[in-house]
Amino acid sequence: EEITGHLVFDIKLGENFRRKSRFCADGHKTKPSASVTYSTVVARDSVRLILLIAALNGLDVLGSDVQNAFLTAPNKEKCWIRAGPEFGDNKDKCYIVARALYGLKSAGASFRSFMAQQLDDMDFKPCPADPDVWMRSAKKPDGEDYYEYVMTYVDDLIAVSHNPMGIMKEIETTFKFKGNKIEEPSSYLGARLQKKNINGWDCWTITSQDYVNAAVANVEKAIEGTKWKLPNKAATPMTSAYIPELDGTPELDAKDTQYFQELIGML
């Protein structure tokens, strides 16, 4: 199938204003492929449980991000593009898309499948309760049997083991990590992670404080200059006097409807 594409230019604010360009496929113009296009991600409850297991068993935790994740995976769709003027002298040539180009409907699923194959080759198996928690049996230096884990959230990985660096180095034989960094995670799934010693135990805490602060700031900016304001205290999401079936206020326009949907997504 022939597809079209476009160039995207961006500045990564969280990476010291790094400038980045990316060629993306116009996947919104194509029909969904017959293969699976959905990519699962690890559940937040699974992260909490694995961090608890790490604390109880004295395991270390390391994380990293895969660089240009989708482009590492073979493309699941059979598609090609006709080069535009941005390709210079190669304009009008036909190119087969061999990698999971950003924008393709199956790009996420292609990457997950490729990562799953890598973990399977390392003898990790998906947990029956959460397919994005990968586990394999191991032994500590003192002979104690235990399980070591890898959690996957698209291109964000966390390894939990007596030797998590060994796991990450195995993965690094196939995937390149951003900035070649493998370190203790400070955030995951939008939440802040922090290692603390509580009553003699090395534990991991997880909090949504940063996310909540950002969400509130977003709303405050949106209603700035309007008649609306956030209450200083709110015991419930809505006042007890609100009766939705008697609400006669005008319906939202398209812009405000979209913003309302964004707020629901944040919640």
Side-chain angles (χ1 to χ4, degrees):
E1 181 180 9
E2 180 181 6
I3 63 168
T4 57
H6 61 279
L7 279 167
V8 175
F9 300 92
D10 195 13
I11 297 177
K12 309 291 282 189
L13 300 181
E15 299 180 23
N16 199 26
F17 298 97
R18 180 168 67 93
R19 293 169 174 79
K20 186 170 185 176
S21 62
R22 174 179 289 162
F23 186 81
C24 299
D26 292 331
H28 61 288
K29 296 181 180 179
T30 63
K31 297 178 181 178
S33 62
S35 61
V36 176
T37 59
Y38 177 67
S39 176
T40 59
V41 295
V42 66
R44 185 171 277 105
D45 286 344
S46 298
V47 176
R48 289 175 174 153
L49 287 171
I50 299 301
L51 292 179
L52 173 62
I53 290 173
L56 294 176
N57 292 274
L59 305 179
D60 294 325
V61 179
L62 290 176
S64 192
D65 293 354
V66 177
Q67 181 172 310
N68 296 327
F70 291 177
L71 300 182
T72 63
N75 184 18
K76 283 181 171 290
E77 299 180 52
K78 294 182 178 180
C79 51
W80 59 277
I81 62 173
R82 191 182 305 277
E86 62 270 19
F87 283 79
D89 294 339
N90 293 314
K91 178 184 177 183
D92 293 329
K93 289 185 178 179
C94 296
Y95 289 89
I96 295 175
V97 181
R99 291 282 154 179
L101 194 62
Y102 288 90
L104 291 174
K105 283 188 168 69
S106 65
S110 296
F111 174 75
R112 189 197 180 282
S113 176
F114 191 50
M115 175 61 75
Q117 184 61 58
Q118 166 73 7
L119 292 172
D120 185 74
D121 291 343
M122 294 167 57
D123 293 326
F124 278 93
K125 302 302 176 186
C127 173
D130 188 335
D132 293 285
V133 174
W134 295 78
M135 51 197 293
R136 72 178 178 187
S137 58
K139 280 185 181 292
K140 291 184 178 180
D142 61 4
E144 180 185 351
D145 293 322
Y146 76 104
Y147 279 100
E148 50 191 4
Y149 303 90
V150 174
M151 295 180 286
T152 60
Y153 182 75
V154 191
D155 58 347
D156 290 355
L157 309 179
I158 286 183
V160 177
S161 168
H162 179 76
N163 179 27
M165 182 60 75
I167 295 175
M168 299 303 275
K169 287 297 183 182
E170 280 188 80
I171 296 174
E172 201 174 22
T173 60
T174 302
F175 300 93
K176 180 178 175 60
F177 294 136
K178 292 179 181 177
N180 296 315
K181 288 183 179 180
I182 302 174
E183 55 194 6
E184 290 187 341
S186 59
S187 64
Y188 203 61
L189 297 176
R192 184 200 304 173
L193 299 184
Q194 191 172 6
K195 189 176 183 180
K196 293 184 178 181
N197 188 284
I198 303 174
N199 297 329
W201 289 85
D202 284 333
C203 304
W204 285 87
T205 63
I206 181 169
T207 171
S208 58
Q209 180 179 342
D210 294 339
Y211 186 88
V212 171
N213 288 341
V216 172
N218 178 297
V219 175
E220 289 177 336
K221 183 177 179 181
I223 63 178
E224 187 176 343
T226 70
K227 65 178 181 179
W228 306 106
K229 68 175 182 177
L230 292 178
N232 293 326
K233 293 183 179 180
T236 58
M238 297 181 183
T239 65
S240 58
Y242 178 62
I243 306 176
E245 59 268 28
L246 298 181
D247 191 340
T249 56
E251 293 186 0
L252 299 176
D253 58 22
K255 182 180 179 180
D256 286 340
T257 297
Q258 180 179 351
Y259 183 61
F260 175 76
Q261 292 170 338
E262 292 175 2
L263 293 178
I264 296 298
M266 291 179 195
L267 290 173

